Each structure stands twice: as structure tokens, then as C-alpha cells.
Amino acid sequence: AAADPDSMLPGSLGRGSWCNEHDTMHERLDIIEEKVIKTVEHLESEVKSLLNIISETTSNIPIAPGTPLIDIFDGKY
């Protein structure tokens, strides 16, 4: 039987060790990706909720006729 070429390289950790580290790294990245996705979904929900509250609040504020509307973002966004 032929020897495993990876295990014959000087200083090599061997194929099995490298694969395990690679798999572990991918598992950690998958966990991080899942947490980022959940965080983004949560933030989107919070922003929508805040925008709804702002919309409801501003629609109930009486505005005197002739009062100019002010752009709070000053056209920057």
C-alpha cells in the first residue's frame, strides 16, 4: 500500500488533523452566520416597529394650516 503523501511531508500535521481543523472552522463560521442572520432579522423587525410607531404618532399630530413641513434629514438621506 502506498503511504499517504500528506503524512510524509516534513512538518506536516497530516491530512486528518488539517481536515478536522477545517471542519471545525466551518462549523464555527456556520454558527456565526446563523447568529448574524438572526440579529439582522431582529433589527429589521425593531426598525419596522419603530417606523410604525413614528408613522402613527405623526399622523395624530394636528398641523396648523400654512405650517411648512421640515425635512428632519435635510435631504441628506
Side-chain angles (χ1 to χ4, degrees):
D4 181 11
D6 288 334
S7 64
M8 295 184 65
L9 294 174
S12 173
L13 296 174
R15 183 180 185 97
S17 176
W18 182 86
C19 284
N20 289 340
E21 288 178 23
H22 183 78
D23 290 343
T24 301
M25 182 173 51
H26 274 282
E27 288 172 10
R28 289 180 181 170
L29 288 173
D30 289 343
I31 292 168
I32 291 169
E33 180 183 19
E34 183 178 333
K35 287 182 180 183
V36 168
I37 289 170
K38 286 181 180 181
T39 300
V40 168
E41 289 171 352
H42 175 75
L43 291 173
E44 285 177 342
S45 173
E46 289 293 316
V47 167
K48 285 179 185 177
S49 177
L50 288 171
L51 289 174
N52 285 336
I53 291 169
I54 290 169
S55 177
E56 290 170 4
T57 303
T58 56
S59 66
N60 294 331
I61 298 174
I63 299 176
T67 304
L69 297 176
I70 299 171
D71 182 1
I72 62 169
F73 295 113
D74 198 22
K76 294 180 183 175
Y77 297 97

